[in-house]
Amino acid sequence: MEAKSMALMVIVVVAVAGMGEVKTAVAGLSAAQCKQERTLAENACKPVIYGKLPSPECCQRVRVTHLECVCPVITPQLAALIDLNRAIRLIEGCGRKVPRHYKCG
């Protein structure tokens, strides 16, 4: 798996995890703040790409990263590169419920 698709897996894991808690109060986040959130999530969850289970740090990052920062960078082409069912299982393993039929991206 190439580096870009590996990073995407982490972003999708974070995005799907945040699906249940879209918060309108974060609409004021800057592009730099969103980029920082995505970077923190990628770094915390990088081992997931290599088949590891999410660490407590990754699960925490999944719970706090704002969906509005992640979904805009996920295109259908990027989402096609990862196993969404695996991503959902990992998220639910972090204690998050994933709504059915939710679209991100």
Side-chain angles (χ1 to χ4, degrees):
M1 190 180 290
E2 71 176 65
K4 188 162 184 98
S5 60
M6 287 187 234
L8 171 67
M9 173 66 170
V10 173
I11 290 172
V12 170
V13 167
V14 172
V16 174
M19 286 190 238
E21 293 187 12
V22 176
K23 298 174 186 157
T24 56
V26 298
L29 286 178
S30 70
Q33 288 169 314
C34 280
K35 183 177 179 181
Q36 180 181 17
E37 282 200 4
R38 288 190 306 268
T39 299
L40 290 169
E42 288 175 22
N43 291 336
C45 298
K46 204 170 279 188
V48 171
I49 296 164
Y50 301 105
K52 305 268 187 201
L53 292 176
S55 66
E57 292 172 317
C58 175
C59 284
Q60 175 60 25
R61 182 52 45 194
V62 163
R63 288 188 289 269
V64 300
T65 298
H66 295 99
L67 187 59
E68 295 86 348
C69 292
V70 178
C71 282
V73 300
I74 300 173
T75 65
Q77 294 82 8
L78 291 176
L81 295 174
I82 62 115
D83 181 352
L84 290 176
N85 290 323
R86 179 174 183 257
I88 290 169
R89 284 192 310 273
L90 292 170
I91 290 157
E92 289 178 344
C94 285
R96 297 297 308 247
K97 195 110 172 133
V98 179
R100 293 177 63 82
H101 307 296
Y102 182 85
K103 300 269 185 198
C104 178

